[in-house]
Amino acid sequence: MVDSTTRIAVIGGGMGGLTAAIALTRIAGVHVTVFEQADKLGEVGAGVTVAPNAQRVLDQLGVLKPVRHAGAVPDGHGVYQDAMGNLVTDAAWEDSARQYQNIGMYRPDLIEVLAREVDPETIRLGHRLASVRTLDTGVRVEFENGTHEDFDAVVGADGIHSVVRKAVDQHPEPVYSGYIVYRGVVDASRLPEDWPMISQVWMGNNRHFMCYPLQQRKLFNFVAGIPSDRPLNGPWSGPAEVGELAAEFAGDGWDPRLHRFIGAIEKTFWWGLFDHEPLTNWSRGPITLLGDAAHTMLPHQGQGVNQAIEDSMALATFLKAANGVSGIPEAFRRYTSVRMQRTAILQHGSRRAGAMFDAQYEFMNLEKRDADLRVGRDFRRSAVFDYDALKVAEKALNRFRRSSFA
């Protein structure tokens, strides 16, 4: 069995890396060191949804209560609307048992909550990874600041531009979606007092606009998807003028309520939407991947962070059952085999959801789009929100054990 003498390096101090550190410590009982390239832990100032499937994991790890306290639970179902605000369908952001309902989180708040659950002595800031290489026993990580350290295993939670992924011999090409998003937050006091405390999506003219509450309803997150070739001609992200965003939704073809919301925005930035095709492997010996490093996906199903949280529970469960340090590569292979199909389905599903929101491809037929959106509500509950990462990993572990003795 692995224990507190087993040393694991987690590369990346974002939401996935911190959750992995919590799970590996509390479930597998190993010693974790988190390396973050920035000089302080933090995230871009925008929102993220903690979905029921990830909440189930956070509950099992004992950290759901502070997450819920820092976030915002909506008043009820969200809504999908056409450009003028006419209802297309409601969106049931809850699991079938109605035990968990979407929580809107300000990303810096979620980082802060998760970081409080990790021993600060185990977090190393200002460490940008340069390389990873396996040794006769263990793995060496080397950093651009000239330091290096040896571990029993390495988990790459270092995002779409992952360095660890190269050590797993995976080199996916980024795939540009053809869209950028404008993102940011609005002080809720700038909105009308009767503004609905739910998620809302407006869809029209090959673009969409979403908003939902954060931070105990003190803030509102917004995400606006716009067709653009800008990231193909320069940086993938940057600051933006609010007027740019407003111009994309100007005119009497858009809901006056949406114009009112956009009028409350004081600051925004843009971000190119990229993903990659599902990888053919996540693990190589005592090195494995987690979160965006393993399965970068578009944000249209709100599952990027949530899948990283699921990854963390599955990884910790398989590592706990490892037959000592020598069993870590097998634990990582088992983790990979269980998680790859789940995340590949959601990578493709996120692309499809974006096509629906923006009436692309087969969804140029709006009747088909609207019908698929309505059907999708119940699909999300059963296939996405009801998923229990711990139970799935435990069942798979039992299958692996039975096959080993067959």
Side-chain angles (χ1 to χ4, degrees):
M1 301 290 286
V2 294
D3 56 30
S4 60
T5 65
T6 305
R7 302 181 67 243
I8 309 292
V10 173
I11 308 300
M15 293 172 284
L18 291 173
T19 305
I22 297 167
L24 291 169
T25 302
R26 296 183 183 180
I27 302 295
V30 297
H31 185 275
V32 178
T33 304
V34 178
F35 293 94
E36 167 56 37
Q37 65 183 14
D39 292 329
K40 64 178 181 178
L41 294 178
E43 257 282 2
V44 67
V48 64
T49 296
V50 182
N53 48 306
Q55 288 179 50
R56 189 171 290 106
V57 171
L58 296 175
D59 204 359
Q60 291 158 343
L61 293 175
V63 298
L64 179 57
K65 186 176 180 180
V67 168
R68 185 177 284 141
H69 178 74
V73 177
D75 280 340
H77 292 182
V79 292
Y80 291 108
Q81 308 159 109
D82 66 17
M84 290 305 296
N86 299 305
L87 180 67
V88 172
T89 185
D90 65 338
W93 300 116
E94 62 196 8
D95 64 343
S96 296
R98 299 187 177 181
Q99 182 179 2
Y100 303 106
Q101 185 181 9
N102 269 12
I103 300 172
M105 289 291 301
Y106 191 44
R107 286 173 179 261
D109 291 345
L110 183 54
I111 288 286
E112 182 179 350
V113 168
L114 295 172
R116 286 202 301 264
E117 304 293 329
V118 178
D119 181 351
E121 296 297 318
T122 65
I123 299 176
R124 311 272 184 88
L125 301 175
H127 281 66
R128 181 183 292 273
L129 187 67
S131 66
V132 182
R133 60 188 176 95
T134 54
L135 308 172
D136 290 339
T137 56
V139 187
R140 175 164 293 175
V141 288
E142 299 175 326
F143 300 93
E144 291 184 1
N145 61 13
T147 64
H148 70 267
E149 197 163 346
D150 297 345
F151 291 86
D152 295 309
V154 170
V155 177
D158 49 342
I160 186 172
H161 301 295
S162 174
V163 174
V164 180
R165 191 166 56 213
K166 299 174 184 176
V168 184
D169 197 24
Q170 296 289 297
H171 310 275
E173 290 294 327
V175 178
Y176 179 50
S177 67
Y179 274 70
I180 64 171
V181 290
Y182 291 94
R183 298 166 64 186
V185 295
V186 169
D187 189 324
S189 67
R190 295 177 57 83
L191 299 172
E193 290 185 6
D194 61 350
W195 192 266
M197 293 294 167
I198 59 173
S199 68
Q200 299 181 76
V201 181
W202 288 264
M203 305 174 293
N205 193 25
N206 302 116
R207 63 202 65 212
H208 69 278
F209 190 104
M210 171 184 283
C211 67
Y212 55 85
L214 313 170
Q215 207 179 69
Q216 292 297 327
R217 306 181 177 194
K218 296 176 184 177
L219 297 175
F220 260 81
N221 183 63
F222 67 86
V223 182
I226 308 296
S228 173
D229 63 358
R230 186 188 305 185
L232 300 177
N233 302 309
W236 284 13
S237 63
E241 297 294 329
V242 176
E244 295 175 22
L245 166 58
E248 297 288 353
F249 295 91
D252 57 11
W254 288 94
D255 187 354
R257 293 174 58 256
L258 175 57
H259 290 157
R260 187 176 301 176
F261 186 98
I262 293 173
I265 297 172
E266 297 180 288
K267 185 178 180 180
T268 188
F269 63 95
W270 70 272
W271 198 278
L273 295 186
F274 290 81
D275 65 0
H276 58 65
E277 298 297 334
L279 304 182
T280 58
N281 184 28
W282 292 8
S283 301
R284 186 175 187 181
I287 304 171
T288 196
L289 304 174
L290 179 146
D292 279 355
H295 47 73
T296 302
M297 61 185 68
L298 298 177
H300 304 305
Q301 286 189 317
Q303 280 295 309
V305 170
N306 296 287
Q307 288 307 297
I309 293 172
E310 286 186 7
D311 290 344
S312 299
M313 177 57 80
L315 180 62
T317 302
F318 287 116
L319 190 61
K320 178 183 178 181
N323 184 22
V325 170
S326 63
I328 290 177
E330 178 62 21
F332 284 179
R333 283 193 292 270
R334 290 173 171 181
Y335 154 73
T336 296
S337 70
V338 168
R339 292 298 301 161
M340 281 183 70
Q341 183 179 31
R342 163 79 168 166
T343 56
I345 289 170
L346 288 170
Q347 282 177 291
H348 288 301
S350 296
R351 289 181 177 181
R352 189 173 188 273
M356 281 195 287
F357 296 162
D358 301 315
Q360 295 179 297
Y361 312 121
E362 71 266 38
F363 301 112
M364 292 175 67
N365 179 335
L366 297 186
E367 289 185 1
K368 175 176 173 52
R369 180 200 69 179
D370 295 351
D372 275 46
L373 282 170
R374 295 184 187 105
V375 171
R377 178 185 66 178
D378 295 329
F379 172 80
R380 279 192 300 273
R381 278 177 168 160
S382 61
V384 182
F385 296 158
D386 289 350
Y387 187 92
D388 188 325
L390 176 57
K391 284 186 178 180
V392 170
E394 288 176 338
K395 287 181 179 178
L397 189 57
N398 288 333
R399 290 196 305 271
F400 289 131
R401 285 169 173 160
R402 287 196 300 270
S403 65
S404 297
F405 290 107

